Amino acid sequence: MASVPFPSNLATNEASPEWMNKGDNAWQLTAATLVGLQSVPGLVILYGSIVKKKWAVNSAFMALYAFAAVLVCWVGWGYRMSFGERLVFFWGKPAMALEQSYLLDQAFVGMFPTATMVFFQFVFAAITLILIAGALLGRMNFHAWMLFVPLWVTFSYTIGAFSLWCPEGWLAKAGVIDYSGGYVIHLSSGVAGFTAAYWVGPRMSKDRERFPPNNIILMLAGAGLLWMGWTGFNGGDPYVASVDASLAVLNTHVCAATSLLVWLFLDILFFGKPSVIGAVQGMITGLVCITPAAGVVQGWAAILMGMMSGSIPWYTMMVLHKKIKLLKHVDDTMAVFHTHAVAGSLGGILTGFFAEPKLNRLFYGVDDQKYIGLAYGLNTGRTTAGFRQMGVQIGGIMFIIALNVFTTSMICLLIRLIVPLRMSEEDMQVGDDAVHGEEAYALWGDGEKFETSKHNNSVYEVEDFPSKAAGPTRERERERDCMETETENQVPSVVTTDTRGKHRILAELKRLEQETRSLEEELEELEKTERVSAACKDLLLNVEARPDPLLPVTHGPANPFWDRWFEGPQESQGCRCWVL
């Protein structure tokens, strides 16, 4: 019988070799892009909006920098240390992943090129560092962070990835089930973030006591990108567009939704209000918990895991955190320890209990009897195998914890010999402007900063707030201008043709508003402790009674800010604001 030729779109050629499956390759690149979007812009937006306004730029930029730095390290040496030739039983040999001959060859698993695998594994490495950053927001020296990222991805992440995910890794050979990174990514980032937070030190006291999000709606947008991106996070790890990938995606979202609802219910039950931030935390713990089990457990198990991931991390965060001295001492800004270390460990243990033998066979592609959850081991009479699976899951958790405590501590101790790990008190007081010379919100117009900025405020190369000490010549010019204005117009007027002056006035108003708010907060604290003095009360009354610095005062009390803003006597209706 004559052979039937393939359609032209399926015919093999140099660009489409026989071993490559176009559908698998397309899905793997799509899944990698979804995971990348979790970081950029997902966590960039989430971090930039969940912190105080003064830390928005720094927090977002820590995530963006980590994404870029990890990629360079990954193709330079990180990928082959994680998935390449074995150096020792837990680590691969460093080598570049840039050669054409290497990247266009078939990956170590799957029917797609190595270039696709390099990119797919990169986005997982990048998000791990970004998750660590969540524990360090609001005080880590950015230069120290620039050193931390390449050192940690080299000496910590690659060890965990090789040990658990590389076929030559010792934990992979032992049979530890980590479907998509509950150990390598989430447990690692939770422990490493908590350890790094210990060495870096806490935020300022007032930031620890009160750290409100600057934009909750934008925070929800970042959280939404994170949630939907998990479709690629767990759906891409079978390395094939298979039925197991479909199950993994569905289980992921079922567990996340259940966890969110349980967390929300607990917030309402114990605190009386449904917290949006709490709901986001519940969503994250559900996503983290299902990650090591996504494609190897049934749907009902995913719901049970969601119920536990919405309650156990809630308990550790809301109750145990206030009782355990170490947890209270370490300033973990985004509670990464609870949402990733606790939830990741929980997911690993529940994987050892709920892992279904047939689903393990679909995922691993081999009929290996060692992959069986304890629940199924007890049900089928393979009790020893079930307990063995639980044992190796717990052993993997202990290894990842020990690895990250040790390597992260060594890296932090090395970095602080070069640069301080923590910002100075002065920089932490100011925030973004001190660190980057930039601020997230320029509400007073056109990106200009108000006068408290330590950097040059003027983009027009003129004084933002002209000094009164301008000399006799300037004073005579101002008097002449004021007289000309009165003669020509004979009506109350203020020149407003230059909007830059308006913006500077608004900037000063903003500064005065902040000063007032700060004094009010201090007074509230003093009143709580019943130590308020009459002097403090008088000071607040003076602040509240302060007249508007922009309007002329023709009757009533004198305006103490008149000379700063206007020329001539206060009674004059034709005077001109000299910054306009």
Side-chain angles (χ1 to χ4, degrees), residues 171-494:
L171 288 175
K173 291 181 177 180
V176 176
I177 302 173
D178 185 14
Y179 189 89
S180 195
Y183 290 67
V184 177
I185 296 171
H186 300 297
L187 178 57
S188 293
S189 62
V191 174
F194 188 80
T195 305
Y198 171 83
W199 290 108
V200 172
R203 290 166 288 170
M204 297 180 64
S205 296
K206 66 178 184 179
D207 280 353
R208 291 195 72 177
E209 295 167 1
R210 189 170 183 272
F211 206 67
N214 66 80
N215 193 324
I216 288 183
I217 302 302
L218 205 58
M219 177 198 75
L220 288 175
L225 284 168
L226 190 66
W227 187 347
M228 290 300 101
W230 230 284
T231 296
F233 199 106
N234 289 346
D237 264 296
Y239 303 127
V240 59
S242 65
V243 294
D244 191 52
S246 299
L247 178 64
V249 170
L250 182 60
N251 282 343
T252 296
H253 296 297
V254 167
C255 183
T258 305
S259 181
L260 184 154
L261 295 175
V262 170
W263 194 294
L264 184 64
F265 173 77
L266 291 172
D267 276 349
I268 295 173
L269 182 63
F270 288 93
F271 303 119
K273 292 184 179 180
S275 168
V276 177
I277 298 175
V280 172
Q281 300 281 34
M283 175 203 80
I284 293 172
T285 56
L287 292 167
V288 170
C289 184
I290 195 62
T291 294
V296 297
V297 299
Q298 298 195 52
W300 58 265
I303 291 180
L304 292 177
M305 293 178 72
M307 293 174 65
M308 284 183 271
S309 65
S311 55
I312 294 175
W314 182 93
Y315 179 77
T316 65
M317 184 186 299
M318 300 299 178
V319 180
L320 292 184
H321 188 91
K322 300 174 182 178
K323 296 182 178 181
I324 299 175
K325 185 176 181 180
L326 179 63
L327 295 180
K328 288 194 297 183
H329 173 71
V330 178
D331 182 16
D332 178 358
T333 308
M334 290 284 291
V336 175
F337 176 81
H338 301 283
T339 57
H340 292 272
V342 174
S345 299
L346 177 64
I349 294 171
L350 294 177
T351 301
F353 188 80
F354 290 122
E356 206 272 340
K358 178 183 176 180
L359 296 177
N360 279 290
R361 186 168 66 251
L362 291 176
F363 175 57
Y364 288 103
V366 294
D367 191 10
D368 196 330
Q369 299 298 313
K370 66 186 177 186
Y371 297 114
I372 181 171
L374 178 59
Y376 293 93
L378 295 172
N379 188 50
T380 60
R382 296 171 56 196
T383 307
T384 302
F387 276 108
R388 180 191 178 281
Q389 189 65 58
M390 287 290 288
V392 296
Q393 294 297 117
I394 295 172
I397 292 172
M398 300 307 296
F399 172 76
I400 291 296
I401 292 174
L403 168 68
N404 284 281
V405 169
F406 176 75
T407 56
T408 306
S409 295
M410 292 299 102
I411 289 168
C412 289
L413 291 172
L414 174 63
I415 291 174
R416 76 177 186 180
L417 296 176
I418 304 170
V419 295
L421 289 171
R422 189 169 180 260
M423 295 180 196
S424 66
E425 293 290 333
E426 293 78 9
D427 285 352
M428 287 193 291
Q429 183 71 38
V430 176
D432 288 336
D433 185 53
V435 181
H436 303 285
E438 298 163 319
E439 293 177 333
Y441 302 104
L443 300 180
W444 38 90
D446 297 340
E448 295 183 64
K449 308 183 191 74
F450 56 87
E451 68 173 349
T452 57
S453 170
K454 64 187 288 186
H455 297 274
N456 179 22
N457 288 344
S458 178
V459 295
Y460 301 102
E461 297 183 354
V462 296
E463 279 189 287
D464 280 1
F465 295 94
S467 171
K468 288 179 63 178
T473 302
R474 179 176 293 183
E475 293 295 339
R476 285 195 296 270
E477 291 176 353
R478 289 172 181 160
E479 292 174 3
R480 184 179 64 252
D481 291 341
C482 188
M483 292 175 62
E484 290 174 355
T485 302
E486 292 179 9
T487 302
E488 293 174 2
N489 299 317
Q490 295 299 317
V491 292
S493 65
V494 177

Side-chain angles (χ1 to χ4, degrees), residues 65-83 91-92 94 121-130 132 145-162 184 188 192 403-404 407-408 411 415:
Y65 164 79
F67 194 82
V70 169
L71 179 55
V72 175
C73 298
W74 195 245
V75 297
W77 60 85
Y79 173 77
R80 296 180 78 165
M81 291 178 72
S82 303
F83 298 97
W91 218 2
Q121 294 296 343
F122 147 67
V123 291
F124 283 86
I127 200 171
T128 308
L129 267 298
I130 295 173
I132 293 173
W145 177 244
M146 292 177 69
L147 296 174
F148 181 89
V149 170
L151 288 172
W152 194 89
V153 76
T154 302
F155 295 105
S156 186
Y157 184 85
T158 56
I159 295 175
F162 186 90
V184 177
S188 293
L403 168 68
N404 284 281
T407 56
T408 306
I411 289 168
I415 291 174

Side-chain angles (χ1 to χ4, degrees), residues 140 229 261 407 480 518 540 576:
M140 187 172 189
L261 295 175
T407 56
R480 184 179 64 252
S518 177
L540 183 61
R576 183 173 67 180

